[in-house]
Amino acid sequence: ALYNNVLQELIVQQHFTRWAKNYTFDPVMALGLITVFEQLMDGYRNEEARAAVFAAYVGSMDEDPEEYKKAAADLEAWAKEQSAESLVGFKEQNGAVPDALKAVSERAAAGEGFQYSKYFAVGMFRLLELSNASEPSTLEKLTEALGAKKSAVDKDLDIYRGLLSKLTAAKELMAEFLAREAKKKAEREAEKQEAAQKKEDATA
């Protein structure tokens, strides 16, 4: 219940993107969506259930969860090896990831096959984090290189930061709830043991 509203918001936003006329799957969007999803589900301890929720979520958009995971993982691995300069200069590089980013940039420039979304902005932000590129100018250069609008990216990253605040509050509530439940369980077990001991003493 604590995650319900945020999860619904996640679903609605991505459905608008997924079924837009210009939509084409891209790795930056995939990285952003997985980043938000993992942050959302961070306090959810059942790994099997988390995987099932993600599979159901992506499957509801008629897409492959494994494609999302692989695209995000490949992009993360590549970004960790980049500097701020090489990150924004992906067009000068060769390889699967740079080629995928070039394709995104080309579609965005052509205005066909590219649908910007909040998760694309989050994906770019995550790329900066992974490459330890903290300068605002790097975000501006990456935004330009990928063909996104900086005004939209700035706005969506502000929303993202607000979402993180919501998630932090939700996690704190969940931690308090779990602590209370653990305490109640321990008290019930103690009461059972005490009752059993009294019964044993009475029949001795």
Side-chain angles (χ1 to χ4, degrees), residues 16-18 20-24 26 113-117 120:
F16 277 124
T17 301
R18 169 64 181 91
K21 181 180 179 180
N22 272 332
Y23 176 79
T24 300
D26 77 69
F114 173 75
Q115 184 65 37
Y116 173 81
S117 72
F120 190 87

Side-chain angles (χ1 to χ4, degrees), residues 45 173-189:
R45 300 180 181 180
L173 287 173
M174 176 60 80
E176 292 173 4
F177 171 77
L178 292 174
R180 287 196 302 270
E181 289 300 304
K183 182 179 179 181
K184 289 178 182 178
K185 182 178 180 180
E187 289 173 348
R188 287 194 297 268
E189 289 298 323

Side-chain angles (χ1 to χ4, degrees), residues 71-201:
D74 289 348
L75 200 51
E76 285 183 334
W78 175 80
K80 288 176 181 178
E81 298 177 350
Q82 306 306 309
S83 64
E85 291 75 17
S86 63
L87 176 68
V88 300
F90 62 83
K91 292 180 182 179
E92 307 303 319
Q93 299 185 45
N94 296 316
V97 170
D99 287 349
L101 296 178
K102 291 174 200 175
V104 172
S105 177
E106 290 168 1
R107 292 197 300 269
E112 296 181 0
F114 173 75
Q115 184 65 37
Y116 173 81
S117 72
K118 291 179 175 63
Y119 303 111
F120 190 87
V122 175
M124 287 197 298
F125 186 75
R126 182 63 179 145
L127 287 175
L128 297 179
E129 288 183 326
L130 291 166
S131 60
N132 294 314
S134 57
E135 292 295 324
S137 60
T138 306
L139 173 60
E140 184 174 354
K141 292 175 182 177
L142 183 60
T143 299
E144 182 179 355
L146 287 170
K149 294 181 179 179
K150 188 173 186 301
S151 59
V153 171
D154 288 341
K155 177 183 176 182
D156 289 333
L157 288 181
D158 284 341
I159 293 173
Y160 173 58
R161 295 183 186 100
L163 175 61
L164 291 181
S165 296
K166 290 181 183 179
L167 293 180
T168 299
K171 290 173 186 177
E172 289 174 353
L173 287 173
M174 176 60 80
E176 292 173 4
F177 171 77
L178 292 174
R180 287 196 302 270
E181 289 300 304
K183 182 179 179 181
K184 289 178 182 178
K185 182 178 180 180
E187 289 173 348
R188 287 194 297 268
E189 289 298 323
E191 288 172 358
K192 286 181 182 179
Q193 292 179 7
E194 183 178 355
Q197 186 62 49
K198 288 180 178 179
K199 183 177 181 181
E200 183 179 338
D201 293 342

